[in-house]
Amino acid sequence: METAQKRQGKAPKVAVAAALLAPLTLTACTGAAASGTESPNTLTIQDYYDETQDPIYHSCARSVGVSLEISHVAGPGLIPKVLQQSSSRTLPDVLMLDNPDVQQIAKSGALSPLSDHGLTGEGMVPAVVQAGTYAGKLYGLAPGVNTLSIFYNKDLFDQAGITTPPATWDELRAVARRLTGQGRYGFAMSTINTYEGTWQFLPFMWGNGGTERDITTPQTVQALRFLVDLQNDGSMSRSSIIWSQDDVIDQFVAGKAAMVVNGPWQLPALKKQREVRWGAFTIPKRDPSQTTVAPLGGEVFTVPRTGNHAKMAKAGQFVKCLVSPEKQLETARIKQNVPSNPDVAEQAGKENPALAPFVTTVRTARSRTALLGPDWPKAATKIYNAVQIALTGKAAPAEALRQAQGEQ
Amino acid sequence: MTSAHLSLTVAAGERRTILWTRLLRRATPWLFSLPAVVFVAMFFGYPIVQNVVMSFQEYTTSTFYSGAAPWVGLANYATILSSYLFTTTLVNTALFTVGSITFQFVIGLALALFFKRAFPLSGFLRSMLLLPWLIPLIASSAVWKWLLDQESGALNQFLGLFGVPAVPWLVDPTLALAGVIGVNIWLGIPFNVAILYSGLQAVPKELYEAGSLDGATGWKAFRHITWPNLRPVVSVVIVLGVVYTLKVVDIILGLTGGGPANSTQTLATNAYNKSFVEFNFGEGAAISNVLIVVSLVFALVYLYLSRREPSE
């Protein structure tokens, strides 16, 4: 949900594709089990990345002794395609999934437990293992993950004489107010009416002790009131309710926002542009005694049940190679994400200082499906609805959350 | 004996051929309609039946792999009808449809009448009017989103020249629906102009000549000659327009995604969200069946009107 690639295509394309597929899929499900190609030494792999990922795939294929057939799908098209492949029994040998989708796909029975292939989550950040686990079994592992932090405009900080980044909500609010003016907002984030909006609100909600089990607790109300305050101060644009995370980073690069909530997948683009001198810091806490809790993002690799056990075993070895420490570091260099192994992450943070706040945040990050499992999407919908109700002024934060909680 | 027996078999054979020819002759009209029947059954009947069946099932992501879609009876309908969103989406759908159709039709008719008089470049300008139709919806909704942007949108910068403060077109929940309707009006004008213009061409010129002798010109000519002759075309345009507008998804998804705070959520976008964002295909199907019923009502109105027309 949170990576740049996944949002390139717009939703309606999926609508058309899925609408065409949905009625046909069930009739096609009697076909015999067949995984991609017939050759016993070729594995098929499907993801929503691009060619920059291919060298890592190929090097793992060499070490496992197989050849590869790679297919990169446009982000929003992945799940509809996976559903269609599930019913026609044509799932790839190795399948990449966005981590909050794992539970739903695992629940359907389409994935094989990674323990069958001798994989455990040992040595990985707990949140990564949690994200790949459904009903006590591990189905997916990620070589690297991401989370949210705040990018800031160094020139604007210098001009305003701000030397240390804000560490608490009060400081953030004060700094945002100081940096607002001349057609520029001090703070920007995405509170759009999609899972992306929920994902961006979570660091404030979770960081303050809020929970998705009951979104009406005072901690979540406080977090939502903080955003409303930022907006009422004039420090955050009212347009944030229609901005995607990419829109937010565009505002930042255009110099129209001084601080923005975003993730490490923006690092390659930020490093390329020359308009803005920037840095990053972890998302402030309401009280210094609290710990930062941001959501864990990123994609995991899974081994679908294709029926071909020899190939599934090879696919397992292939995934084992992808999530090995060396490959984690290699992936981090290409994708600018945070390796799942804390020690490797430490090293990646040293090599790439811009990644450091994300490395720190991942250590205490939480997976979105950890608490509610496959029911997470329902809660996520309620959360972005509540945020929208409050920010559009339709109701005060407490009432907005109460309304959204009762939604069916 | 043998000859009689022979003649009997011949007769029987003959009778069989006669029967066959008769059967074939009777079946001929049906055979002609067979391709159409097969087409309708495959491409309209099957999806609709499938959709109705799906709306009685718990049809989720798991269904795709396991094939199991437990029968839940009317539960999906109960859920969507009692949902907090149902009234909102119903009202929004009505406002969106009525608002779009009214303005599309009035502006479309005015332009069609305007282009009826031939003037230099009228043919060129009329074909330019079709432009909104030719641009892919995803592209035009992206451009409109940018035009309607509160801070840097072209529309607000233009209004700013006259001292109008920045209007939060797609951001304010009370304005967003109007903004989306506005874009849909722009999109629907070409269809209305094209159909109404060809309708106007079909009105016999002699009627206007005769009318002008009796003093029917200008408004009177429109009221007593153009309008009555255009009536059948008008009902086609409006009924088709309503059916097309009820099911609009892409333009709303492109502009607001149903937001802010569900203020532009319609039955169609909600069905889309349920099915393809939340993967709750059962409830999505139930909502789209409600939409089908609403469209069907308008289709019946159309059939009734078109049957009544000739008797007038």
Side-chain angles (χ1 to χ4, degrees):
Chain A
M1 206 51 51
E2 58 285 354
T3 63
Q5 295 100 319
K6 203 171 180 190
R7 271 172 285 106
Q8 272 166 6
K10 277 282 179 186
K13 265 187 238 156
V14 202
V16 176
L20 288 173
L21 293 174
L24 294 173
T25 38
L26 272 192
T27 57
C29 72
T30 45
S35 64
T37 53
E38 295 311 313
S39 157
N41 246 348
T42 305
L43 292 184
T44 51
I45 179 163
Q46 183 172 304
D47 66 17
Y48 59 60
Y49 293 149
D50 54 31
E51 304 74 51
T52 55
Q53 181 75 16
D54 294 359
I56 293 179
Y57 287 160
H58 284 301
S59 106
C60 273
R62 267 194 302 279
S63 72
V64 178
V66 291
S67 56
L68 278 185
E69 219 169 84
I70 305 167
S71 87
H72 302 294
V73 179
L78 183 68
I79 291 298
K81 181 149 191 192
V82 168
L83 293 181
Q84 182 246 321
Q85 289 168 330
S86 311
S87 64
S88 60
R89 298 291 188 269
T90 52
L91 281 162
D93 299 308
V94 179
L95 172 65
M96 183 220 79
L97 287 172
D98 193 14
N99 77 75
D101 295 331
V102 172
Q103 310 251 340
Q104 289 200 45
I105 304 296
K107 190 184 170 198
S108 77
L111 305 177
S112 65
L114 289 182
S115 57
D116 291 2
H117 315 294
L119 272 133
T120 60
E122 217 185 310
M124 300 233 172
V125 175
V128 175
V129 180
Q130 235 169 24
T133 304
Y134 167 71
K137 281 187 179 160
L138 183 68
Y139 288 94
L141 276 177
V145 290
N146 61 56
T147 187
L148 290 168
S149 289
I150 293 180
F151 291 108
Y152 70 102
N153 185 319
K154 280 188 173 166
D155 289 329
L156 293 175
F157 267 56
D158 290 351
Q159 278 166 31
I162 303 161
T163 47
T164 45
T168 63
W169 288 4
D170 286 340
E171 286 172 30
L172 178 66
R173 193 174 166 190
V175 168
R177 207 184 299 182
R178 265 172 78 184
L179 294 173
T180 300
Q182 296 154 328
R184 186 183 62 226
Y185 289 99
F187 178 81
M189 66 185 279
S190 160
T191 53
I192 196 168
N193 57 337
T194 64
Y195 299 147
E196 212 173 314
T198 304
W199 151 263
Q200 285 240 328
F201 177 61
L202 287 177
F204 299 96
M205 176 175 149
W206 283 351
N208 196 37
T211 167
E212 57 269 35
R213 255 195 232 290
D214 175 8
I215 60 171
T216 60
T217 59
Q219 289 90 334
T220 307
V221 175
Q222 233 169 3
L224 187 50
R225 186 171 304 127
F226 176 62
L227 297 195
V228 173
D229 286 343
L230 282 170
Q231 186 180 273
N232 289 345
D233 287 351
S235 311
M236 180 170 89
S237 168
R238 290 186 178 271
S239 299
S240 74
I241 53 170
I242 59 166
W243 281 343
S244 68
Q245 299 187 92
D246 283 349
D247 293 331
V248 168
I249 212 75
D250 287 346
Q251 296 284 324
F252 181 67
V253 173
K256 287 182 179 175
M259 298 182 280
V260 295
V261 178
N262 238 301
W265 60 90
Q266 305 284 9
L267 288 172
L270 280 176
K271 284 177 176 172
K272 232 179 264 168
Q273 58 83 33
R274 293 269 163 269
E275 324 287 320
V276 171
R277 227 163 44 86
W278 53 275
F281 59 88
T282 51
I283 291 178
K285 302 167 259 190
R286 184 180 56 81
D287 190 279
S289 68
Q290 292 172 323
T291 28
T292 310
V293 186
L296 181 91
E299 296 80 25
V300 304
F301 288 91
T302 64
V303 179
R305 278 187 220 269
T306 54
N308 185 334
H309 292 282
K311 272 197 181 184
M312 280 166 68
K314 282 194 179 129
Q317 284 174 33
F318 181 80
V319 172
K320 195 172 198 167
C321 167
L322 284 182
V323 299
S324 66
E326 311 86 73
K327 293 298 174 227
Q328 285 188 24
L329 197 60
E330 221 174 296
T331 310
R333 284 184 190 132
I334 293 172
K335 302 205 81 68
Q336 309 265 325
N337 60 9
V338 180
S340 301
N341 180 309
D343 300 332
V344 184
E346 208 66 42
Q347 198 184 334
K350 265 179 211 140
E351 281 180 22
N352 183 0
L355 199 63
F358 297 101
V359 172
T360 320
T361 309
V362 160
R363 251 181 253 144
T364 51
R366 219 162 95 187
S367 117
R368 278 160 283 177
T369 46
L371 214 53
L372 300 180
D375 283 336
W376 162 251
K378 264 186 202 152
T381 306
K382 290 178 180 187
I383 294 170
Y384 73 65
N385 271 335
V387 172
Q388 291 239 323
I389 295 171
L391 288 179
T392 51
K394 279 186 145 179
E399 172 62 15
L401 287 159
R402 210 188 51 74
Q403 272 182 27
Q405 170 109 314
E407 285 167 2
Q408 281 302 323
Chain B
M1 262 313 253
T2 45
S3 65
H5 182 74
L6 245 176
S7 70
L8 249 177
T9 44
V10 168
E14 245 168 43
R15 214 175 300 144
R16 207 171 296 145
T17 11
I18 290 168
L19 257 172
W20 264 111
T21 4
R22 232 183 248 164
L23 201 73
L24 210 65
R25 202 170 294 155
R26 204 168 293 166
T28 310
W30 295 105
L31 285 177
F32 273 112
S33 58
L34 189 68
V37 170
V38 169
F39 180 82
V40 168
M42 270 177 67
F43 294 99
F44 296 94
Y46 175 73
I48 287 176
V49 169
Q50 179 76 19
N51 204 50
V52 171
V53 171
M54 207 187 259
S55 71
F56 294 113
Q57 291 172 324
E58 190 187 317
Y59 201 109
T60 59
T61 37
S62 301
T63 309
F64 285 85
Y65 188 80
S66 60
W71 193 262
V72 292
L74 290 168
N76 287 332
Y77 288 94
T79 312
I80 61 147
L81 292 178
S82 62
S83 157
Y84 74 105
L85 260 182
F86 189 70
T87 335
T88 319
T89 51
L90 207 61
V91 170
N92 284 348
T93 308
L95 288 175
F96 181 76
T97 309
V98 172
S100 300
I101 294 298
T102 312
F103 287 96
Q104 278 172 9
F105 178 74
V106 170
I107 299 172
L109 183 61
L111 283 169
L113 287 169
F114 177 67
F115 280 108
K116 208 184 85 176
R117 15 176 124 206
F119 53 88
L121 288 181
S122 67
F124 172 72
L125 287 174
R126 198 159 42 80
S127 53
M128 290 300 285
L129 263 183
L130 292 177
L131 220 59
W133 235 3
L134 304 177
I135 306 172
L137 271 181
I138 290 308
S140 51
S141 62
V143 170
W144 273 104
K145 191 174 178 179
W146 172 69
L147 288 172
L148 294 174
D149 186 75
Q150 185 176 2
E151 272 115 30
S152 50
L155 184 62
N156 277 351
Q157 296 202 341
F158 174 73
L159 292 174
L161 296 178
F162 305 100
V164 180
V167 185
W169 291 111
L170 300 176
V171 175
D172 188 304
T174 49
L175 275 177
L177 190 62
V180 173
I181 291 174
V183 175
N184 195 50
I185 291 170
W186 168 83
L187 199 68
I189 288 174
F191 172 74
N192 282 265
V193 174
I195 307 278
L196 291 172
Y197 179 80
S198 61
L200 287 175
Q201 297 301 101
V203 181
K205 291 227 167 36
E206 301 79 39
L207 287 178
Y208 290 101
E209 285 164 13
S212 70
L213 288 178
D214 293 332
T217 52
W219 168 250
K220 272 189 183 159
F222 175 78
R223 170 78 186 75
H224 296 288
I225 301 170
T226 314
W227 186 252
N229 280 289
L230 207 58
R231 278 279 302 273
V233 179
V234 168
S235 59
V236 172
V237 164
I238 289 185
V239 173
L240 286 183
V242 167
V243 174
Y244 288 156
T245 311
L246 280 173
K247 65 177 179 66
V248 165
V249 180
D250 29 23
I251 201 86
I252 299 178
L253 287 184
L255 283 169
T256 62
N262 289 319
S263 57
T264 56
Q265 201 76 259
T266 62
L267 285 173
T269 58
N270 197 27
Y272 170 83
N273 269 336
K274 282 273 179 245
S275 294
F276 301 114
V277 178
E278 294 172 25
F279 299 119
N280 194 335
F281 293 94
E283 284 179 27
I287 299 174
S288 47
N289 283 335
V290 171
L291 198 58
I292 289 175
V293 170
V294 176
S295 303
L296 209 61
V297 168
F298 280 94
L300 291 176
V301 168
Y302 167 67
L303 282 178
Y304 172 75
L305 283 178
S306 58
R307 200 175 304 163
R308 211 186 53 169
E309 218 58 67
S311 64
E312 264 187 29

